[in-house]
Amino acid sequence: MRTSIIRSERMAISYDVVNGWTVLEVDGEIDVHTSPGIRQAVVELLGEGHRHFVLDLCFVPFLDSVGLGTVVASTKRIREREGSLRIACPSGRLLKVFEISGLHDAYDFYVSPEEATVEAPSADGLAHWPHGEAGA
């Protein structure tokens, strides 16, 4: 059952738990105006005990450098809790932002949230971040 965390004119953030993963669905642009909402959602969910995340970008048409910084900052918070982060549905445009920033190899990207949640989270989570998983 999807639970809404933030709903505004510019963005909606909701989550669902699937196979041990907290799938955080973002609907809207991730920029200087909306990034604080993502940060707030991750902090709230970590506070509730969630550790393994899939950031669902299926409904995100735009990601700027501030938004990318929010993804990195959120990753660091998740790593501090020995959690995991996967990114689902990045469009070609969003992947380009990760490539230009040099962060493409630091994340595991999946075509869909369903693909990202097929396997349950592993015990090592983000232990190797920002260098990606061995063999990934």
Side-chain angles (χ1 to χ4, degrees):
M1 181 173 104
R2 188 153 299 283
T3 303
S4 183
I5 300 174
I6 295 171
R7 185 161 300 283
S8 71
E9 192 174 298
R10 299 190 69 157
M11 172 179 277
I13 301 174
S14 58
Y15 78 95
D16 198 3
V17 178
V18 179
N19 196 23
W21 293 96
T22 300
V23 180
L24 191 64
E25 180 184 282
V26 180
D27 186 353
E29 295 183 352
I30 303 177
D31 59 21
V32 68
H33 302 289
T34 59
S35 291
I38 294 171
R39 185 176 294 115
Q40 174 189 341
V42 169
V43 168
E44 277 182 33
L45 290 167
L46 285 168
E48 293 174 7
H50 299 263
R51 293 182 34 229
H52 304 288
F53 291 84
V54 172
L55 182 59
D56 179 353
L57 303 179
C58 292
F59 304 105
V60 174
F62 177 78
L63 172 74
D64 71 5
S65 60
V66 174
L68 184 62
T70 298
V71 172
V72 171
S74 296
T75 305
K76 289 177 181 179
R77 286 181 185 264
I78 293 166
R79 183 174 187 230
E80 289 169 0
R81 300 283 179 103
E82 299 178 358
S84 308
L85 177 67
R86 293 178 170 180
I87 298 176
C89 288
S91 67
R93 179 179 289 166
L94 298 183
L95 280 174
K96 190 74 168 168
V97 173
F98 283 92
E99 288 171 9
I100 290 170
S101 68
L103 290 170
H104 185 270
D105 293 336
Y107 290 95
D108 294 322
F109 296 95
Y110 293 82
V111 174
S112 69
E114 294 79 18
E115 181 185 282
T117 58
V118 167
E119 293 182 22
S122 66
D124 64 349
L126 290 166
H128 304 291
W129 189 85
H131 303 293
E133 295 183 56

